[in-house]
Amino acid sequence: MTLLEHLGELRKRLVRGFLAILIGFFACYGFAQQLFYYLSLPLLKVMPADSKFIYTGVAEGFFVDMKVAFVAGVFVACPFLFYQIWAFIAPGLYEEEKKYIIPLALSSALFFILGGVFCYFGVFPFAFEFFMSYSTDNIVAMLSIDEYLSFALKMVLAFGLIFEMPLFSFFLARMGLISAQKMRDVRKYAILAIFVVAAILTPPDVFSQLMMAGPMLVLYEVSIWVAALVGKKKAEREKAAEEGGA
């Protein structure tokens, strides 16, 4: 494919992805308030009795519904979105690798959703309980719905993306671009990068950064194991091919 053909293919994939998100947005908009309630439930459970959500802008409530519907639409459309990503990469793959496009797309969507679920059930309860512990008789939490939503959605989307790490490790190892040994060699730099990414994606407090960096470190080790397994199977296939050719 020429450069213009690649650009045309990219435009086609982007348009299809945008339309999928748009359809997901309209499908979820009617349930936006219920979705926001469930999204805020981990915080509501630990909020002091005299605390409540507020909004300070005239249109803030409306835009909160829009944001909730948009992100919900992304999750609804994520199998199709990941298919578009892998389909865009497909022309650069060998024929034997192209058969993995649909399984990779479905696996990517599954890992993305699992990351969001882990954040909701595994991170939010501890994080919000920690933050609400600073509320006292003289300091009452009155939280802006837009500020809370920005925090919650950023965390959910970030965890969804970082849960893709083992899957991308599998794909890159199959292509021969990375290996388990290379990942072990750069582990100390990867740890530094993980904490930098966690600092960028989370609010400016150490607790949130650690809550994100911890799972990322575990996923990096899992990714090394995945790359090692792929490398082992690849070596076995090459050995079998050599023996068969002999």
Side-chain angles (χ1 to χ4, degrees):
M1 295 177 68
T2 65
L3 176 60
L4 290 178
E5 288 173 336
H6 277 296
L7 292 175
E9 180 73 10
L10 177 61
R11 181 183 63 83
K12 181 176 71 173
R13 299 298 174 186
L14 289 175
V15 169
R16 290 179 178 179
F18 174 77
L19 291 176
I21 293 175
L22 194 63
I23 293 171
F25 168 81
F26 284 114
C28 297
Y29 184 75
F31 310 97
Q33 293 186 359
Q34 294 94 319
L35 292 172
F36 178 77
Y37 168 75
Y38 286 112
L39 184 64
S40 61
L41 197 57
L43 179 57
L44 292 174
K45 290 180 178 179
V46 297
M47 283 178 67
D50 51 354
S51 298
K52 60 181 67 176
F53 282 117
I54 62 171
Y55 67 89
T56 57
V58 175
E60 189 173 332
F62 168 73
F63 284 112
V64 163
D65 284 356
M66 295 278 285
K67 289 179 182 179
V68 170
F70 175 79
V71 175
V74 170
F75 274 90
V76 169
C78 68
F80 185 77
L81 294 177
F82 281 110
Y83 174 77
Q84 295 304 313
I85 294 172
W86 290 112
F88 175 71
I89 298 172
L93 303 179
Y94 294 108
E95 288 299 323
E96 62 198 32
E97 294 171 336
K98 291 180 180 180
K99 63 183 180 181
Y100 294 104
I101 294 299
I102 292 179
L104 278 171
L106 295 176
S107 300
S108 299
L110 177 62
F111 276 80
F112 184 71
I113 293 171
L114 285 176
V117 170
F118 174 81
C119 179
Y120 183 83
F121 289 103
V123 176
F124 280 176
F126 298 102
F128 294 149
E129 185 174 2
F130 171 77
F131 292 137
M132 289 299 103
S133 66
Y134 287 91
S135 181
T136 66
D137 293 338
N138 298 320
I139 304 175
V140 180
M142 295 294 178
L143 306 174
S144 165
I145 55 173
D146 184 60
E147 189 174 308
Y148 167 75
L149 184 65
S150 297
F151 170 83
L153 293 183
K154 183 189 292 186
M155 293 287 284
V156 168
L157 289 173
F159 271 91
L161 291 174
I162 65 175
F163 264 62
E164 299 292 330
M165 195 184 300
L167 188 62
F168 277 90
S169 174
F170 168 81
F171 180 73
L172 294 174
R174 278 195 60 86
M175 293 182 67
L177 298 178
I178 64 170
S179 66
Q181 189 56 48
K182 287 181 182 178
M183 295 181 72
R184 294 188 187 101
D185 292 340
V186 300
R187 181 185 276 117
K188 58 183 179 182
Y189 303 107
I191 292 173
L192 176 61
I194 284 170
F195 277 96
V196 170
V197 170
I200 294 172
L201 295 179
T202 58
D205 64 89
V206 176
F207 185 79
S208 298
Q209 294 170 14
L210 291 176
M211 291 293 286
M212 178 169 287
M216 289 179 73
L217 293 172
V218 173
L219 287 169
Y220 186 80
E221 296 301 322
V222 172
S223 299
I224 293 176
W225 178 81
V226 170
L229 186 63
V230 172
K232 181 180 178 181
K233 289 185 176 181
K234 187 175 181 180
E236 290 175 353
R237 287 196 302 270
E238 291 176 351
K239 184 178 179 181
E242 290 177 359
E243 292 175 352

